[in-house]
């Protein structure tokens, strides 16, 4: 930062070598991306939901999720912090992670979100099944996030890399 007395440790994005490196990294990431999504998300029950508080600070919390009609559905309490966050800043990022080091996989997605008081019966039913048959009577609000971006990645040694699609 100029005037801070600290050296700039990160090269500028305009540096051609850095741009080439980041471009190569992105291409390598996306070349393995397709192996994770559908099967992986079907067997994962929880995601880390990241939202923005009304004052701009970040907030992250684990959440049960389901997929239905090209959206992620998250049951929650109507008094949950994330409900107020989505009302103030209608956007969510979800991170679904598994494993460590050379056996990890991840799906990262983000998009516009909204708070709903009710959901289609099928969403409730799917989510109850994903919750091991547990009641969702506690869910007094639901968040629906329609993904605009999705990135998935699996290391080659990840256990589901060859069997998930």
């Amino acid at each position: 930062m100029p005037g801070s007395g600290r050296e700039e440790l990160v090269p500028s994005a305009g540096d051609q070598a850095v741009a080439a490196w980041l471009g190569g990294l992105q291409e390598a990431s996306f070349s393995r991306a397709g192996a994770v999504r559908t099967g992986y998300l079907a067997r994962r029950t929880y995601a880390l939901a990241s939202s923005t508080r009304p004052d701009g600070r970040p907030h992250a919390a684990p959440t049960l999720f389901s997929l239905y009609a090209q959206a992620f559905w998250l049951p929650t309490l109507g008094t949950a912090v994330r409900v107020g966050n989505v009302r103030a800043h209608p956007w969510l990022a979800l991170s679904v992670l598994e494993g460590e080091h050379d056996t990890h996989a991840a799906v990262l997605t983000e998009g516009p979100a909204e708070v709903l008081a009710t959901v289609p019966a099928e969403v409730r039913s799917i989510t109850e099944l994903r919750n091991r048959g547990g009641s969702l009577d506690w869910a007094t609000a639901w968040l629906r996030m329609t993904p605009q971006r999705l990135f998935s990645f699996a290391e080659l040694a990840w256990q589901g890399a060859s069997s998930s699609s």
Side-chain angles (χ1 to χ4, degrees):
M1 296 182 104
S4 69
R6 296 177 5 201
E7 289 183 39
E8 188 173 336
L9 299 176
V10 178
S12 72
D15 184 294
Q16 286 184 335
V18 171
W21 171 71
L22 290 174
L25 179 61
Q26 179 174 308
E27 285 178 27
S29 296
F30 281 101
S31 71
R32 294 181 286 202
V36 180
R37 289 184 208 108
T38 307
Y40 177 73
L41 289 174
R43 71 180 203 191
R44 305 306 303 165
T45 309
Y46 290 90
L48 182 67
S50 300
S51 58
T52 304
R53 296 175 191 266
D55 66 6
R57 293 178 299 138
H59 176 261
T63 183
L64 177 65
F65 75 91
S66 292
L67 290 167
Y68 176 79
Q70 299 182 346
F72 285 80
W73 299 78
L74 292 62
T76 190
L77 295 171
T79 57
V81 169
R82 73 177 132 232
V83 170
N85 295 350
V86 168
R87 284 188 173 127
H89 303 283
W91 193 270
L92 278 176
L94 298 177
S95 303
V96 184
L97 306 169
E98 174 181 298
E100 298 289 334
H101 304 290
D102 65 343
T103 62
H104 80 276
V107 172
L108 310 173
T109 185
E110 63 180 74
E114 62 185 317
V115 179
L116 303 169
T118 61
V119 295
E122 193 167 353
V123 170
R124 181 174 283 277
S125 177
I126 290 167
T127 308
E128 284 175 344
L129 288 173
R130 290 176 55 74
N131 195 30
R132 295 187 175 173
S135 170
L136 295 174
D137 290 344
W138 54 267
T140 55
W142 289 75
L143 301 178
R144 177 174 58 193
M145 189 273 285
T146 306
Q148 285 189 347
R149 296 182 185 104
L150 184 130
F151 172 78
S152 64
F153 175 84
E155 283 288 349
L156 294 177
W158 177 65
Q159 64 190 356
S162 62
S163 62
S164 293
S165 57

